[in-house]
Amino acid sequence: MIQVDVEEERKQILKRYRKILRQAKPILKEGDTKLIKKAFNISLEAHKDMRRKSGEPYIYHPLEVALVCVEEIGLGTTSIIAALLHDVVEDTDMELEDIEREFGHKVMTIIDGLTKISGVFEYGSSQQAENFRKMLLTLSDDVRVILIKIADRLNNMRTLSSMPRHKQLKIASETMYLYAPLAHRLGLYAIKSELEDLYLKFTDTDTYKEIVKKINESKTYRNKFIKNFIQPIEEELEKLGFNFTIKGRPKSVYSIYNKMKKQGIPFEEVYDLFAIRIILDSELENEKADCWQVYSVVTDFYRPNPDRLRDWISTPRSNGYESLHTTVMSQTGQWVEVQIRTTRMDEIAEKGYAAHWKYKEKEVPGKSGSGLDDWINQVRSMLESNDGNAIEFMDDFRGNLFHDEVFVFTPKGDLKVLPHGASALDFAFEIHTEIGAKCIGAKVNQRLVPITHKLKNGDQVEILTSNKQKPTEDWLNHVVTSRAKAKIKDALREEKKSAILDGREIVQRKLKAMKMEFSSEVIEQLRAFFELKTANEFYYRVGKSIIDPTSIKSFKDFKEKQKLKAKSSDKVKDESTFTKEIKSIKGPDHDQLLIGEDMDVVDYILAKCCNPIPGDDVFGFVTVNEGIKIHRTSCPNALELLSNHGNRVIKARWTSQKQIAFLAGLRIVGTDRVGLINDVTKVISNELKVNMRSITVDSDAGIFEGTIKLYVHSTEHLDHLIQNLQEVDGIIKVTRFD
């Protein structure tokens, strides 16, 4: 039993509460403190007997969330109250009406948006997706719902170590899948980076620790480098009379990890490990000129990389982010990213949406409405047009979070902002649904292009239409905006409905002609015979002539053969005899993966997407028709499975192994020499008695690259093999692939 020091806990609670008031002091209006105190007391009473998994009093959580809201996001009184009360409705008998009576309609709406829906969901959806959709419905009225949710998630991630492993995986993946991109979209860069780092910390702990260690080891060198780098710039800016601060900061652990992974390079080769930020105190009307003057100072001392100049001052990102970025070459031959911005821009960059609103009243003359408002309107129209399931909606929504933008113009010179990678077809749907649906091509800068043409910054686009044109399934591969996707899906749905009706009629006629009855049992057998998932899918294919109606005759022949077989065979094996037979062939303990809360031995399938082998960190996933599938936690599909279907994820871990072989792949890179392959195969077959399934080798200009597929018993076995291969003369790198 944990000893609880009640007095110490009371002190801690008050300390956190006072810190919130201290941070909020500059923005509190008359009567606000009283309201916050009332919310604090209600929350304290509601959670008085509750503790978190770590053993701490539950009240710490709402207090920490409120603190993140005010300190890191810059929100005000309404949000502090909502954050303090965000779990009260879920955890106690207090109703939303009580909250409305005490604190008004605004607070009640926000808390309603944060309260999870319970209940049963349609097939193909999930509780997480439905709750997320509900939260977004409130986002279009009040963005604070999402901001408080992000603060709530940040606190959950910071305290994740007290959770069981499978919960850690689920929560961390959901965070990476949704909340980090969302924080990015709302301009909360510091929070986004912390969420990504925490995700890495809990899903790939070893890599995380390794990168942190290397960042710390290079700290003294880095500080010295930064000092020398900024010295001439500081002197020149002081001469010019600027008021400024310069900060040097390392890139986040996750962004370094991402670079290493994408470019396949070690830590030492990630060239822009840190960025220098120059922040100016500048009058609103001089901001742009001042930033460019500082840019000219920086590039007087260091040569810039012309391809890496990003001007988000003239055209801010749609989340309000403004800054001037350039990458320059230092005296020591290293590339360094330099960001130039003003204090106002820096606050918007750090606190995103909330700071953006703060400056909105004193909007810069000549600047149009905010891109963020446009984005929220886009989310609203997406929610209105989306009648599909929530998971489909989530995929579309995510697709709209991480994109950079392209700026393009209509023939009349109106500016349209589209996600990076948008096609002429996206542009057509952006103008009007009808124009999109009838689009046959476009003129980009007076040149004819197909609908799939990807748009670039500054393109002028004119859409060409035809009344004979109709959206096809293939169109979905060529659009990136949710609006275009939703409208194409609507059109296809209509078309699919009529094809299903046509198909049903054809099947009915065909069965009648073959003197077979049209019953649900026969249709179910037909579906299985053509290996399709649903009867409607079968009707659709017949309706679209993908399945030739005459091939239904082969189904009739097949059924008659089956009948004859059943008669001639003296005994049809039942399921259990069949299972027993398999067990006798494989031996009683061929399964050595423990699954579920009780860690039982259950039948499972190893997922093809990541080929887990004993010793890998894994989780079980309950599929709809293939039982339990085992995935590696680093599987490319893990993020989506854990985020959207967390309720179908179960614990799984390997026991100490019986010797059984699993397929694994190795990629080998080295310098080519005579006899190299011979040495490699010798290591594999002689030393470790491993069976190879295949080996492919490619040699170009003295560089040797090969892939080997082989059978191993566990990760330990594989690591041992990798080590031995790395010792072969000429081998530079050996890595595992899925």
Side-chain angles (χ1 to χ4, degrees):
M1 186 72 186
I2 307 167
Q3 284 295 308
V4 174
D5 184 340
V6 181
E7 193 44 41
E8 179 53 34
E9 282 184 353
R10 209 179 65 81
K11 275 187 195 158
Q12 282 297 329
I13 292 168
L14 284 173
K15 187 178 157 192
R16 286 167 160 81
Y17 169 63
R18 290 194 182 113
K19 189 171 178 190
I20 294 170
L21 290 179
R22 236 188 357 266
Q23 290 287 341
K25 199 174 176 187
I27 52 164
L28 293 180
K29 297 187 193 70
E30 201 184 330
D32 281 358
T33 315
K34 221 176 183 169
L35 279 172
I36 293 174
K37 188 176 182 182
K38 192 202 288 184
F40 168 63
N41 286 327
I42 290 175
S43 187
L44 192 58
E45 179 56 32
H47 300 305
K48 67 171 186 260
D49 300 323
M50 294 168 68
R51 294 199 165 265
R52 298 191 81 177
K53 278 273 195 297
S54 58
E56 294 177 336
Y58 192 85
I59 185 73
Y60 284 7
H61 172 65
L63 284 166
E64 300 278 0
V65 174
L67 189 61
V68 172
C69 287
V70 65
E71 189 178 22
E72 298 180 51
I73 306 180
L75 294 169
T77 308
T78 309
S79 304
I80 294 172
I81 293 169
L84 288 170
L85 299 172
H86 77 276
D87 281 336
V88 167
V89 175
E90 245 168 80
D91 298 341
T92 68
D93 322 338
M94 196 164 184
E95 299 287 335
L96 284 166
E97 292 72 46
D98 306 328
I99 287 179
E100 184 167 25
R101 200 172 47 250
E102 297 283 345
F103 300 100
H105 185 71
K106 261 276 171 259
V107 174
M108 187 276 288
T109 318
I110 294 174
I111 289 175
D112 181 32
L114 291 163
T115 307
K116 296 189 184 83
I117 328 168
S118 56
V120 183
F121 301 101
E122 54 168 313
Y123 165 73
S125 187
S126 78
Q127 187 152 1
Q128 283 113 308
E130 294 291 353
N131 279 319
F132 197 76
R133 188 199 288 200
K134 177 192 174 194
M135 204 165 61
L136 283 174
L137 280 163
T138 341
L139 158 88
S140 47
D141 303 322
D142 197 326
V143 74
R144 286 175 290 195
V145 174
I146 295 285
L147 295 170
I148 296 167
K149 187 66 194 171
I150 288 173
D152 176 40
R153 182 49 64 126
L154 181 62
N155 182 248
N156 285 337
M157 287 295 285
R158 283 172 176 171
T159 53
L160 200 56
S161 48
S162 54
M163 286 291 203
R165 176 79 181 134
H166 66 296
K167 278 271 178 61
Q168 287 180 350
L169 279 178
K170 174 182 170 300
I171 293 169
S173 300
E174 204 179 277
T175 302
M176 192 60 188
Y177 186 73
L178 267 174
Y179 293 99
L182 213 90
H184 170 89
R185 198 64 178 80
L186 293 169
L188 298 163
Y189 291 117
I191 290 180
K192 170 213 167 204
S193 294
E194 189 178 343
L195 289 174
E196 288 176 338
D197 285 1
L198 287 165
Y199 162 77
L200 190 62
K201 182 180 175 180
F202 288 106
T203 52
D204 191 346
T205 315
D206 297 344
T207 310
Y208 175 82
K209 283 182 178 161
E210 182 68 11
I211 295 175
V212 169
K213 187 173 136 234
K214 287 187 170 165
I215 290 177
N216 290 336
E217 281 168 1
S218 60
K219 199 172 184 171
T220 19
Y221 163 74
R222 205 169 54 237
N223 291 343
K224 192 174 147 202
F225 176 88
I226 288 171
K227 202 173 150 203
N228 294 337
F229 181 88
I230 63 183
Q231 192 189 346
I233 299 173
E234 274 180 329
E235 287 167 7
E236 187 60 31
L237 291 181
E238 276 162 9
K239 261 190 226 159
L240 292 167
F242 277 110
N243 224 345
F244 64 92
T245 43
I246 298 186
K247 303 177 189 169
R249 52 171 196 91
K251 282 261 169 74
S252 74
V253 181
Y254 183 79
S255 63
I256 292 173
Y257 161 78
N258 225 359
K259 274 236 159 89
M260 288 162 61
K261 206 167 104 181
K262 270 190 186 151
Q263 298 171 8
I265 52 175
F267 178 89
E268 292 67 27
E269 285 174 36
V270 178
Y271 66 79
D272 46 357
L273 277 173
F274 43 87
I276 306 282
R277 187 174 292 163
I278 304 173
I279 302 160
L280 311 169
D281 283 337
S282 183
E283 291 301 316
L284 209 52
E285 56 276 11
N286 303 334
E287 284 189 339
K288 198 169 168 182
D290 288 351
C291 288
W292 280 108
Q293 195 177 352
V294 173
Y295 170 80
S296 125
V297 169
V298 173
T299 52
D300 281 347
F301 291 106
Y302 304 107
R303 183 182 288 274
N305 177 342
D307 299 333
R308 298 290 299 263
L309 175 65
R310 300 281 179 272
D311 172 13
W312 283 304
I313 293 178
S314 312
T315 42
R317 278 177 168 178
S318 62
N319 57 17
Y321 180 83
E322 294 174 69
S323 191
L324 195 55
H325 292 196
T326 179
T327 303
V328 297
M329 177 62 81
S330 68
Q331 311 293 6
T332 54
Q334 257 173 305
W335 288 109
V336 180
E337 186 181 15
V338 181
Q339 303 172 351
I340 303 163
R341 55 175 77 152
T342 63
T343 319
R344 175 188 73 84
M345 296 172 189
D346 192 53
E347 195 177 344
I348 288 178
E350 290 301 313
K351 291 191 174 163
Y353 206 87
H356 177 83
W357 282 114
K358 180 172 135 187
Y359 290 104
K360 207 165 162 26
E361 289 84 68
K362 345 169 194 171
E363 197 54 90
V364 188
K367 285 208 175 179
S368 60
S370 120
L372 257 179
D373 299 338
D374 297 345
W375 178 70
I376 284 179
N377 291 335
Q378 214 181 335
V379 171
R380 194 177 290 140
S381 72
M382 209 168 137
L383 283 155
E384 283 160 7
S385 68
N386 189 289
D387 52 352
N389 74 36
I391 287 182
E392 217 173 79
F393 164 76
M394 295 252 296
D395 286 344
D396 279 358
F397 178 75
R398 269 190 86 239
N400 262 356
L401 285 176
F402 256 157
H403 286 307
D404 285 335
E405 290 100 11
V406 283
F407 299 88
V408 289
F409 297 92
T410 66
K412 287 185 178 164
D414 296 333
L415 175 70
K416 294 273 178 203
V417 182
L418 292 168
H420 176 74
S423 62
L425 195 52
D426 281 302
F427 181 86
F429 277 103
E430 191 63 29
I431 291 170
H432 196 281
T433 309
E434 281 301 298
I435 291 179
K438 293 179 176 171
C439 172
I440 52 167
K443 274 185 179 173
V444 172
N445 309 328
Q446 302 303 315
R447 203 166 56 83
L448 272 176
V449 297
I451 56 175
T452 55
H453 178 83
K454 295 255 193 309
L455 301 175
K456 294 190 193 70
N457 271 332
D459 279 348
Q460 192 164 23
V461 189
E462 182 188 341
I463 296 298
L464 309 170
T465 59
S466 154
N467 284 332
K468 288 183 183 152
Q469 182 68 300
K470 259 198 329 211
T472 66
E473 194 86 39
D474 185 48
W475 279 21
L476 289 168
N477 302 326
H478 301 297
V479 291
V480 295
T481 57
S482 335
R483 182 191 170 96
K485 280 183 187 166
K487 298 299 179 196
I488 294 168
K489 280 177 190 165
D490 285 349
L492 292 174
R493 234 174 259 138
E494 281 310 305
E495 199 193 339
K496 190 163 187 173
K497 263 187 210 159
S498 66
I500 288 172
L501 290 173
D502 293 349
R504 192 187 155 96
E505 271 179 34
I506 295 169
V507 172
Q508 218 167 344
R509 282 204 307 272
K510 198 75 197 153
L511 288 175
K512 196 175 172 186
M514 293 189 317
K515 298 193 171 41
M516 288 177 80
E517 66 167 326
F518 178 73
S519 67
S520 53
E521 193 187 339
V522 171
I523 294 303
E524 182 51 32
Q525 290 171 343
L526 271 165
R527 175 202 68 73
F529 179 74
F530 287 102
E531 293 175 2
L532 295 167
K533 281 190 178 149
T534 62
N536 275 349
E537 192 59 36
F538 169 62
Y539 290 143
Y540 172 72
R541 290 185 178 219
V542 173
K544 296 291 282 181
S545 307
I546 301 167
I547 291 178
D548 185 356
T550 53
S551 62
I552 296 177
K553 178 148 182 0
S554 56
F555 161 72
K556 189 183 179 188
D557 300 343
F558 169 75
K559 274 196 73 165
E560 280 162 2
K561 267 186 204 156
Q562 289 296 93
K563 269 185 200 162
L564 288 171
K565 245 190 201 172
K567 276 181 193 164
S568 64
S569 141
D570 34 347
K571 175 181 157 207
V572 176
K573 286 183 183 166
D574 67 335
E575 189 58 42
S576 55
T577 337
F578 185 63
T579 315
K580 274 178 202 155
E581 227 171 80
I582 284 190
K583 284 261 172 18
S584 70
I585 297 166
K586 286 192 174 179
D589 35 273
H590 69 282
D591 269 335
Q592 40 354 15
L593 187 73
L594 301 180
I595 294 175
E597 287 301 324
D598 308 324
M599 285 290 149
D600 289 338
V601 171
V602 188
D603 277 340
Y604 61 86
I605 303 171
L606 296 175
K608 292 264 193 317
C609 44
C610 58
N611 286 327
I613 64 175
D616 278 335
D617 214 351
V618 289
F619 64 91
F621 185 75
V622 184
T623 62
V624 180
N625 35 19
E626 294 180 280
I628 293 171
K629 266 196 177 171
I630 302 300
H631 292 262
R632 279 160 59 187
T633 51
S634 58
C635 168
N637 298 323
L639 198 60
E640 201 229 334
L641 296 175
L642 290 159
S643 306
N644 275 336
H645 309 279
N647 52 326
R648 284 159 55 186
V649 170
I650 48 178
K651 271 199 273 197
R653 67 178 173 78
W654 301 97
T655 56
S656 53
Q657 260 23 78
K658 299 277 175 294
Q659 290 294 308
I660 178 168
F662 292 85
L663 189 63
L666 291 180
R667 188 168 282 113
I668 296 184
V669 179
T671 49
D672 203 3
R673 63 175 172 79
V674 177
L676 180 64
I677 294 182
N678 193 16
D679 291 353
V680 168
T681 47
K682 211 183 275 175
V683 168
I684 294 172
S685 47
N686 293 8
E687 285 187 34
L688 287 152
K689 309 284 179 281
V690 173
N691 280 326
M692 260 198 301
R693 180 163 131 186
S694 68
I695 177 165
T696 54
V697 179
D698 194 15
S699 176
D700 182 24
I703 297 295
F704 157 94
E705 274 193 42
T707 56
I708 303 172
K709 288 182 185 169
L710 37 76
Y711 289 98
V712 293
H713 303 308
S714 64
T715 41
E716 219 175 303
H717 188 184
L718 188 64
D719 291 342
H720 184 43
L721 179 59
I722 289 175
Q723 243 171 338
N724 286 13
L725 284 170
Q726 277 167 336
E727 284 164 18
V728 172
D729 186 24
I731 297 284
I732 297 168
K733 194 159 82 176
V734 183
T735 48
R736 174 178 172 188
F737 68 88
D738 298 336

